[in-house]
Amino acid sequence: MIAPDRVAFSIFGLDVMWYGLLIGLGFFIATLICYFRAKEHDIQPDFILDLVIFMVPTAIIGARAYYVIFSWENYAGDWMKIFDTRSGGLAVHGGLIACFIVAYFVCRHHKVNFLNAADLVAPTIALAQSIGRWGNFFNEEAHGGPTDLPWAQIIDGVGYHPTFLYESIWCFLLFWFLLWLDRNHRKFNGQILCLYGILYSVERFFVEGLRTDSLMIGPLRQAQVLSLCLIAGLAVIYWILMKHRTNTAHLTNAANLNDKTENKENE
């Protein structure tokens, strides 16, 4: 695979990059899906539009800030480079963390259950990532080490592991799995969110090991460390939420049984 020009087209002399175009497309499709599925979660569709108004700038700011923090040596001498997102340099984890924090407060303001809303949105996050990852292909970045595999990404005549492709395929399949699970087998609020975080982190841990441009924490790959923490933390949260749901169901059943007993006695 050889990437074409990273410029998609130009308008009045301004180059529109595939990188930004694909990220925007991912946001747009994710928003449409959430809008039309909102009522399945007893959420008003207009709330999705209110949420997106906050999510778009938050995602960009969070993703850029995270990338800059963990590669500060590249920006310390030239602060203006921090704002040059057109050249790439957005970290998915940063965007996700910032968005979930802001979304929590937006949900509180609108009196919407955060975990319920997160379950609605989680599958489409995976889809947006699947689309957005192709921006790395056009920028010829975020690739793995050299390989002679038939599907290698060719850069300057050398084949590299197309790690963007591995993640794109995984996230696309994850989208369909989570969508099916949400519609047919969701048992408690937060279930889909936790599974998204766990399953994405599993993939990211292994794919990150192939990349040659990883952000680092000392000698460790930052994304791998964070992925392990998320897998462990979300597994615990999943268990707590499932346990709470089970206990609530038992209490409800017990209350219903008592009501039936009292009604029979009154008869």
Side-chain angles (χ1 to χ4, degrees), residues 51 55 58-59 92-107 114-115 117-119 121-122 125 192-194 196-197 230 234:
L51 187 62
M55 292 302 99
T58 298
V92 172
H93 282 132
L96 290 174
I97 292 170
C99 281
F100 279 120
I101 292 173
V102 172
Y104 172 78
F105 290 103
V106 174
C107 286
F114 169 70
L115 291 178
D119 281 347
V121 173
I125 296 175
I192 307 303
L193 172 64
C194 288
Y196 159 75
L230 286 172
L234 289 172

Coordinates of all heavy atoms in Angstrom, one line a residue, residues 51 55 58-59 92-107 114-115 117-119 121-122 125 192-194 196-197 230 234:
L51 N -24.6 17.4 23.0 CA -23.4 16.7 23.4 C -22.2 16.9 22.4 O -21.1 17.2 22.8 CB -23.6 15.2 23.6 CG -22.5 14.4 24.3 CD1 -22.2 14.9 25.7 CD2 -22.9 12.9 24.3
M55 N -18.2 17.9 22.5 CA -17.3 16.8 22.2 C -16.3 17.1 21.2 O -15.1 16.7 21.3 CB -18.0 15.5 21.9 CG -18.9 14.9 23.0 SD -17.9 14.5 24.5 CE -18.2 16.0 25.5
T58 N -13.5 19.4 22.5 CA -12.9 18.7 23.6 C -12.0 17.6 23.1 O -10.9 17.4 23.6 CB -14.0 18.1 24.6 OG1 -14.7 19.2 25.1 CG2 -13.3 17.3 25.7
A59 N -12.4 16.8 22.2 CA -11.7 15.7 21.6 C -10.4 16.2 21.0 O -9.3 15.6 21.2 CB -12.5 14.9 20.6
V92 N -5.2 9.4 20.7 CA -6.6 8.9 20.9 C -6.9 8.9 22.4 O -8.0 9.4 22.8 CB -6.8 7.5 20.3 CG1 -8.1 7.0 20.7 CG2 -6.7 7.6 18.8
H93 N -6.0 8.4 23.2 CA -6.3 8.3 24.7 C -6.6 9.7 25.3 O -7.5 9.8 26.1 CB -5.1 7.7 25.4 CG -5.1 6.2 25.2 ND1 -3.9 5.5 24.9 CD2 -6.0 5.2 25.4 CE1 -4.2 4.2 24.8 NE2 -5.5 4.0 25.1
G94 N -5.9 10.7 24.9 CA -6.1 12.0 25.4 C -7.5 12.5 25.1 O -8.2 13.1 25.9
G95 N -7.9 12.3 23.8 CA -9.2 12.8 23.4 C -10.3 12.0 24.1 O -11.3 12.7 24.5
L96 N -10.2 10.7 24.3 CA -11.2 9.9 25.0 C -11.3 10.4 26.4 O -12.4 10.5 26.9 CB -10.8 8.5 24.9 CG -11.0 7.8 23.5 CD1 -10.5 6.4 23.5 CD2 -12.4 7.8 23.0
I97 N -10.2 10.5 27.1 CA -10.2 10.9 28.5 C -10.9 12.2 28.7 O -11.8 12.4 29.6 CB -8.8 10.9 29.1 CG1 -8.2 9.5 29.2 CG2 -8.8 11.6 30.5 CD1 -6.8 9.5 29.5
A98 N -10.5 13.2 27.9 CA -11.1 14.6 28.0 C -12.6 14.5 27.7 O -13.4 15.1 28.4 CB -10.4 15.5 27.0
C99 N -13.0 13.8 26.7 CA -14.4 13.7 26.3 C -15.3 13.1 27.3 O -16.4 13.5 27.6 CB -14.6 12.9 24.9 SG -14.2 13.9 23.5
F100 N -14.8 12.0 27.9 CA -15.6 11.3 29.0 C -15.8 12.2 30.2 O -16.8 12.2 30.8 CB -15.0 10.0 29.3 CG -15.3 8.9 28.4 CD1 -14.3 8.2 27.7 CD2 -16.7 8.5 28.1 CE1 -14.6 7.2 26.8 CE2 -17.0 7.5 27.2 CZ -16.0 6.9 26.5
I101 N -14.7 13.0 30.5 CA -14.9 13.9 31.7 C -15.9 15.0 31.4 O -16.8 15.2 32.2 CB -13.5 14.5 32.0 CG1 -12.5 13.4 32.5 CG2 -13.6 15.6 33.0 CD1 -11.1 13.9 32.7
V102 N -15.8 15.6 30.2 CA -16.7 16.7 29.9 C -18.1 16.1 29.7 O -19.1 16.7 30.1 CB -16.2 17.4 28.6 CG1 -17.3 18.4 28.1 CG2 -14.9 18.1 28.9
A103 N -18.2 14.9 29.1 CA -19.5 14.3 28.9 C -20.3 14.1 30.2 O -21.5 14.2 30.3 CB -19.4 13.1 28.1
Y104 N -19.5 13.7 31.2 CA -20.1 13.4 32.5 C -20.9 14.7 33.0 O -22.0 14.6 33.5 CB -19.1 13.0 33.5 CG -19.6 12.9 34.9 CD1 -20.3 11.8 35.3 CD2 -19.3 13.9 35.8 CE1 -20.8 11.7 36.6 CE2 -19.8 13.8 37.1 CZ -20.6 12.7 37.5 OH -21.0 12.6 38.8
F105 N -20.2 15.8 32.9 CA -20.8 17.1 33.4 C -22.0 17.5 32.5 O -23.0 18.1 33.0 CB -19.8 18.1 33.6 CG -18.8 17.9 34.7 CD1 -17.5 17.4 34.4 CD2 -19.2 18.1 36.0 CE1 -16.7 17.1 35.5 CE2 -18.3 17.8 37.1 CZ -17.0 17.3 36.8
V106 N -21.8 17.3 31.2 CA -22.9 17.6 30.3 C -24.2 16.8 30.6 O -25.3 17.3 30.6 CB -22.5 17.4 28.8 CG1 -23.7 17.7 27.9 CG2 -21.4 18.4 28.4
C107 N -23.9 15.5 30.9 CA -25.0 14.6 31.2 C -25.7 15.1 32.5 O -26.9 15.1 32.6 CB -24.6 13.2 31.3 SG -24.2 12.4 29.7
F114 N -25.3 9.2 32.9 CA -24.1 9.2 32.1 C -23.7 7.8 31.6 O -23.3 7.7 30.4 CB -22.9 9.6 33.0 CG -21.6 9.4 32.4 CD1 -21.1 10.2 31.4 CD2 -20.7 8.5 33.0 CE1 -19.9 10.0 30.8 CE2 -19.5 8.2 32.4 CZ -19.0 9.0 31.4
L115 N -23.9 6.7 32.4 CA -23.5 5.4 31.9 C -24.4 4.9 30.8 O -24.0 4.2 29.9 CB -23.5 4.4 33.1 CG -22.5 4.6 34.2 CD1 -22.6 3.6 35.3 CD2 -21.1 4.5 33.6
A117 N -25.9 6.9 28.6 CA -25.5 7.7 27.4 C -24.2 7.1 26.9 O -24.0 7.0 25.6 CB -25.3 9.1 27.7
A118 N -23.3 6.8 27.8 CA -22.0 6.2 27.3 C -22.1 4.9 26.6 O -21.4 4.6 25.6 CB -21.0 6.1 28.6
D119 N -23.1 4.1 27.1 CA -23.3 2.8 26.4 C -23.9 3.1 24.9 O -23.6 2.3 24.0 CB -24.4 2.0 27.1 CG -23.8 1.3 28.3 OD1 -22.5 1.2 28.4 OD2 -24.5 0.7 29.2
V121 N -23.1 5.7 23.1 CA -22.0 6.3 22.3 C -20.8 5.4 22.0 O -20.2 5.4 21.0 CB -21.5 7.6 23.0 CG1 -20.3 8.2 22.3 CG2 -22.6 8.6 23.1
A122 N -20.5 4.5 23.0 CA -19.3 3.6 22.9 C -19.1 2.9 21.6 O -18.0 3.0 21.0 CB -19.3 2.7 24.1
I125 N -17.8 5.2 18.9 CA -16.5 5.7 19.1 C -15.5 4.8 18.4 O -14.6 5.2 17.7 CB -16.1 5.8 20.6 CG1 -16.9 6.8 21.3 CG2 -14.6 6.1 20.8 CD1 -16.7 6.8 22.8
I192 N -21.6 -1.7 28.1 CA -21.0 -1.5 26.8 C -19.8 -0.6 26.8 O -18.8 -0.9 26.2 CB -22.1 -0.9 25.8 CG1 -23.4 -1.8 25.8 CG2 -21.5 -0.8 24.4 CD1 -23.1 -3.2 25.4
L193 N -19.9 0.4 27.7 CA -18.7 1.3 27.9 C -17.5 0.5 28.4 O -16.4 0.7 27.8 CB -19.1 2.4 28.8 CG -17.9 3.3 29.3 CD1 -17.3 4.1 28.1 CD2 -18.4 4.2 30.4
C194 N -17.7 -0.3 29.4 CA -16.6 -1.1 30.0 C -16.0 -2.1 28.9 O -14.8 -2.2 28.8 CB -17.1 -1.8 31.2 SG -17.4 -0.8 32.6
Y196 N -16.1 -1.8 25.7 CA -15.4 -1.0 24.7 C -14.0 -0.7 25.2 O -13.0 -1.0 24.5 CB -16.1 0.3 24.4 CG -15.2 1.3 23.8 CD1 -14.8 1.2 22.4 CD2 -14.7 2.3 24.5 CE1 -13.9 2.1 21.9 CE2 -13.8 3.2 24.0 CZ -13.4 3.1 22.7 OH -12.5 4.0 22.1
G197 N -13.9 -0.2 26.4 CA -12.6 0.1 26.9 C -11.7 -1.0 27.1 O -10.5 -1.0 26.8
L230 N -6.2 0.3 32.1 CA -7.6 0.4 31.7 C -8.3 -1.0 31.7 O -9.4 -1.1 32.2 CB -7.8 1.0 30.3 CG -7.6 2.5 30.2 CD1 -7.5 3.0 28.8 CD2 -8.6 3.3 31.0
L234 N -11.2 -1.2 34.3 CA -12.6 -1.4 33.8 C -13.2 -2.8 34.1 O -14.4 -2.9 34.2 CB -12.6 -1.2 32.3 CG -12.3 0.3 31.9 CD1 -12.1 0.4 30.4 CD2 -13.5 1.2 32.3

